[in-house]
Amino acid sequence: MKQFRTSSHSAFRLFYHLVLITKYRRKCMNNAVLDDLEVITRNICEKWGCALVEFNGEADHVHILFEAHPHMEMSKFVGNLKTVTSRLIRKAHARYLSRWYWKPVFWSGSYAVVTAGGAPLEIIKRYIESQQRPLQ
């Protein structure tokens, strides 16, 4: 059985898969940028009470798998994550990134976030369908 996290009135296990892409989908991330992004992302997750489960990326996007509390406001978290990582990465890698960006940008304005983990949806659907309703 999976271990649930708990708070005063709830038990939960919520995983999210977040995908961020660079502005104009520029292929500007190298290993050094990705390594720094992972460290910064881990620190931000800890500050928000999240747990970074997995992080990786390619030259123009990153995938972030994290576990979060149900009270967390996802849009505020993602906005903070994008703002802080952009600022710190542009500062740490200014010379390198100047080949792609002249203005203070790094991430695209959009993002994708999907819930993840647990049983596949079809199994959950069948489990819910098989519940025995009371007769009255």
Side-chain angles (χ1 to χ4, degrees):
M1 184 171 157
K2 294 181 180 171
Q3 192 70 11
F4 285 96
R5 293 177 61 194
T6 59
S7 65
S8 58
H9 298 286
S10 63
F12 56 92
R13 184 128 177 131
L14 300 173
F15 290 92
Y16 298 94
H17 177 190
L18 175 63
V19 181
L20 303 177
I21 60 172
T22 57
K23 186 81 168 175
Y24 311 118
R25 203 79 194 225
R26 300 269 164 81
K27 295 183 182 304
C28 62
M29 290 190 285
N30 59 18
N31 281 329
V33 171
L34 287 170
D35 288 344
D36 287 350
L37 276 170
E38 182 173 3
V39 170
I40 297 165
T41 300
R42 186 174 308 281
N43 291 336
I44 294 169
C45 283
E46 288 174 9
K47 288 178 183 173
W48 279 76
C50 301
L52 181 63
V53 177
E54 193 64 47
F55 179 98
N56 208 349
E58 296 183 6
D60 63 353
H61 69 280
V62 295
H63 292 267
I64 303 165
L65 180 64
F66 63 97
E67 185 176 9
H69 192 280
H71 79 271
M72 188 180 78
E73 294 183 62
M74 188 60 63
S75 62
K76 288 184 179 180
F77 170 75
V78 173
N80 180 254
L81 178 71
K82 288 172 66 174
T83 299
V84 173
T85 54
S86 177
R87 181 174 35 84
L88 295 177
I89 288 299
R90 285 184 289 110
K91 183 177 180 182
H93 300 275
R95 178 175 283 184
Y96 173 74
L97 291 173
S98 68
R99 295 168 44 193
W100 292 276
Y101 301 115
W102 299 267
K103 294 183 177 181
V105 297
F106 187 71
W107 297 118
S108 165
S110 60
Y111 64 91
V113 65
V114 181
T115 56
L121 291 177
E122 282 303 312
I123 292 173
I124 295 170
K125 184 178 175 188
R126 280 194 303 246
Y127 175 76
I128 293 171
E129 288 171 347
S130 72
Q131 297 299 296
Q132 299 297 316
R133 285 183 160 232
L135 297 175
Q136 292 180 345

